[in-house]
Amino acid sequence: MVTTPAFRRLPRAVREQQMLDAAVRVFSRRGYHGASMDEIAEKAGISKPMVYAYLGSKEELFVACLHREGTRMVEAIAGAAAPDLPADERLWRGLRAFFGFVGAHRDGWSVLYRQARGEPPFVDELTMMRARMIEVVAGMLDNALRTEGREVAETELEVVAYALVGATESLADWLADHPEADPETTATRMMNAAWLGAGQLLRGITWHPPAA
């Protein structure tokens, strides 16, 4: 006698997370245009109409994935270090949290910084997320320096934050393609490359081109 498994009802929030987990995996591998709602529903173990009912259209689902992964990433960085730590340790902990996120959520990173780029409907979303990340890094540096009784011009902090975020994103792409790489070792490499320059700049030590 063949029996049909009983459908287990789950809280809406749990079901939505299952759908987002499946969607992130599919979008990461297929890209936005190549992904299908049928495959996402199959990976989530639910019907396609349920995906539409819970999270809307394919575009709305992709935006929901961006929001979730972006929020996870920013929260990981922002919560990584106490404000009373020295500037270098705050940056180190932020980098370790960031690369830890990328190492643990490679599909999420792919959706955020690969699949969303170049897709007009999502450029604004990605720009806002990146701006939040730069704001977090700049604030982290500013708070740490203030605890040492020092202040740096807002423009200098912003420039350093942009440079650090850009370099970190590039190294994160490398980490995403190398599953054998250790996120903490990668964070240490980034710290060595970035802090030796950033630390001096924030202390007012700058390089000047030779006179003509």
Side-chain angles (χ1 to χ4, degrees):
M1 178 177 177
V2 178
T3 59
T4 303
F7 178 76
R8 189 161 76 95
R9 296 184 65 85
L10 295 173
R12 182 185 181 95
V14 174
R15 183 69 72 185
E16 285 184 353
Q17 291 307 307
Q18 288 182 340
M19 295 180 194
L20 289 172
D21 289 342
V24 167
R25 289 196 302 271
V26 175
F27 283 131
S28 172
R29 288 158 174 74
R30 311 285 189 203
Y32 174 70
H33 295 291
S36 71
M37 296 295 270
D38 290 291
E39 184 178 4
I40 292 170
E42 180 183 353
K43 296 288 186 186
I46 58 172
S47 66
K48 184 166 73 170
M50 187 178 287
V51 178
Y52 283 110
Y54 274 61
L55 294 167
S57 67
K58 181 179 173 181
E59 181 174 325
E60 290 171 321
L61 176 57
F62 192 86
V63 170
C65 291
L66 290 179
H67 283 167
R68 190 187 74 167
E69 299 306 306
T71 298
R72 283 178 170 179
M73 180 178 66
V74 173
E75 287 179 350
I77 298 168
D84 57 345
L85 291 172
D88 60 337
E89 189 170 349
R90 282 179 59 80
L91 179 59
W92 153 243
R93 292 194 182 192
L95 288 172
R96 185 173 60 180
F98 172 74
F99 286 110
F101 168 86
V102 175
H105 303 89
R106 283 179 165 86
D107 288 342
W109 173 259
S110 175
V111 170
L112 280 173
Y113 280 88
R114 292 182 180 179
Q115 305 304 342
R117 283 179 174 173
E119 297 290 347
F122 314 119
V123 169
D124 289 343
E125 295 286 341
L126 187 59
T127 299
M128 287 189 291
M129 282 181 229
R130 194 166 191 268
R132 287 204 303 272
M133 190 168 165
I134 289 168
E135 183 180 351
V136 167
V137 172
M140 188 183 300
L141 295 171
D142 187 40
N143 289 338
L145 290 170
R146 286 179 186 276
T147 62
E148 297 177 359
R150 298 175 47 249
E151 292 188 24
V152 175
E154 183 178 346
T155 300
E156 293 298 326
L157 284 171
E158 186 178 15
V159 168
V160 173
Y162 265 93
L164 290 174
V165 169
T168 302
E169 287 172 350
S170 295
L171 191 53
D173 262 344
W174 176 88
L175 177 63
D177 287 336
H178 294 78
E180 77 285 356
D182 176 52
E184 185 158 337
T185 300
T186 305
T188 303
R189 288 169 174 161
M190 184 66 223
M191 188 69 186
N192 283 323
W195 183 250
L196 296 179
Q200 292 191 72
L201 180 62
L202 293 177
R203 287 175 175 78
I205 304 171
T206 57
W207 177 86
H208 298 281

